[in-house]
Amino acid sequence: MPQLRPPRLFCAIDTVDFARAREIGRALAGVVDGLKLGLEFFTANGPIGVRQIQELGLPIFLDLKLHDIPNTVAGAMRAVASLGVEITTVHAGGGLAMMRAALDGAHEGADSHTTPPKIVGVTVLTSLGEDDLSQIGQVGPVADQVAKLADLTVEAGLAGIVSSAREIALLRRRLGVEPLMVVPGLRPSWSLAQDQKRVVTPSDAVRLGADILVIGRPITEADDPAEAASRILAEVNGPASAA
Ligand code: C5P
């Protein structure tokens, strides 16, 4: 699949501990392309914590997975945009009007110093299987529900989609090269245990059409996070850049 953009690596820092987050962020400055801060970090450290991590100089992906009535999401998105983060998330299941309100909020909240964040839509959480979907009144198969919500995300005008590695190929075929494809849940080949052979590696994900690779614990729990991130980038970019 031809790609519009070179792949970028964002490290997910999932902790409530601000000092730990800053320590990892510092170690990764100049190595990764950005840091992903999620609900754990945000609920503990708030916008002030985000601003302090931004001072390290890396782009921030603020993964809040917003899902509420359009008016509330627009308000929250105005506040997110005022932070000047590069990427943020909403649940596509919030509906077309909610996603459009999120876009409006993002544009209203950005000032002359900040660019509105790219908003990407979450389709079906990978923690949900067919049974879970039917329990909440959604019809499977999961891939159909993912495709339906991905279409809605594009119709709303969002920048892209959070995709599990399993669905990147399907979504690229369906939506073309334009939408930003953000892919978590990857494991570098060197971190794989014998029993995890079916896990998708970062290079596989890029071959399938991923733009933003989100990788957390293989980096944050490594003895040397910068070295782990460099190894992942070398694996993705090929042996030529491994030196
Ligand atoms: O597993 P790892 O530590 O690499 O997780 C990376 C990040 O991706 C975490 O912040 C997690 O919340 C997110 N993630 C996700 N969807 C998945 C798997 C992980 O958003 N299916």
Side-chain angles (χ1 to χ4, degrees):
M1 177 63 66
Q3 265 174 314
L4 287 182
R5 303 157 282 255
R8 297 165 75 207
L9 173 63
F10 276 63
C11 178
I13 301 186
D14 292 309
T15 176
V16 295
D17 180 345
F18 176 78
R20 171 88 183 122
R22 187 164 55 187
E23 181 193 15
I24 297 169
R26 256 199 202 119
L28 295 175
V31 181
V32 299
D33 299 292
L35 303 174
K36 182 175 90 81
L37 300 173
L39 278 177
E40 256 181 278
F41 180 88
F42 192 73
T43 46
N45 300 291
I48 293 172
V50 174
R51 287 191 192 281
Q52 287 174 323
I53 297 293
Q54 272 175 319
E55 284 168 13
L56 300 173
L58 283 164
I60 302 293
F61 174 177
L62 188 57
D63 185 14
L64 298 181
K65 297 189 176 71
L66 298 178
H67 188 165
D68 209 314
I69 61 169
N71 188 57
T72 300
V73 168
M77 201 51 88
R78 278 195 289 277
V80 168
S82 71
L83 288 170
V85 300
E86 183 186 325
I87 308 171
T88 190
T89 47
V90 298
H91 272 286
L96 202 52
M98 188 207 77
M99 288 191 275
R100 287 180 172 152
L103 276 178
D104 291 344
H107 282 90
E108 288 159 15
D111 60 24
S112 52
H113 307 293
T114 52
T115 309
K118 298 182 188 87
I119 305 177
V120 294
V122 175
T123 58
V124 178
L125 294 171
T126 51
S127 50
L128 300 177
E130 308 286 331
D131 290 348
D132 304 294
L133 278 195
S134 78
Q135 275 171 4
I136 58 169
Q138 294 185 3
V139 194
V142 171
D144 291 358
Q145 185 66 9
V146 168
K148 188 189 279 185
L149 288 170
D151 288 351
L152 203 62
T153 302
V154 170
E155 189 181 339
L158 300 196
I161 292 156
V162 181
S163 169
S164 95
R166 263 175 310 177
E167 273 119 21
I168 322 169
L170 162 90
L171 293 177
R172 275 283 178 235
R173 269 198 309 278
R174 191 175 180 92
L175 306 172
V177 291
E178 196 61 47
L180 197 64
M181 211 65 83
V182 176
V183 183
L186 305 169
R187 288 292 172 267
S189 56
W190 46 263
S191 78
L192 295 185
Q194 289 288 309
D195 59 349
Q196 284 183 318
K197 289 208 175 102
R198 293 182 60 230
V199 171
V200 176
T201 67
S203 354
D204 292 337
V206 169
R207 267 192 296 278
L208 292 165
D211 296 299
I212 306 262
L213 308 171
V214 174
I215 301 179
R217 286 162 294 176
I219 299 173
T220 59
E221 290 178 5
D223 291 339
D224 182 345
E227 193 266 343
S230 299
R231 278 175 79 182
I232 292 171
L233 285 165
E235 186 173 313
V236 167
N237 296 320
S241 64

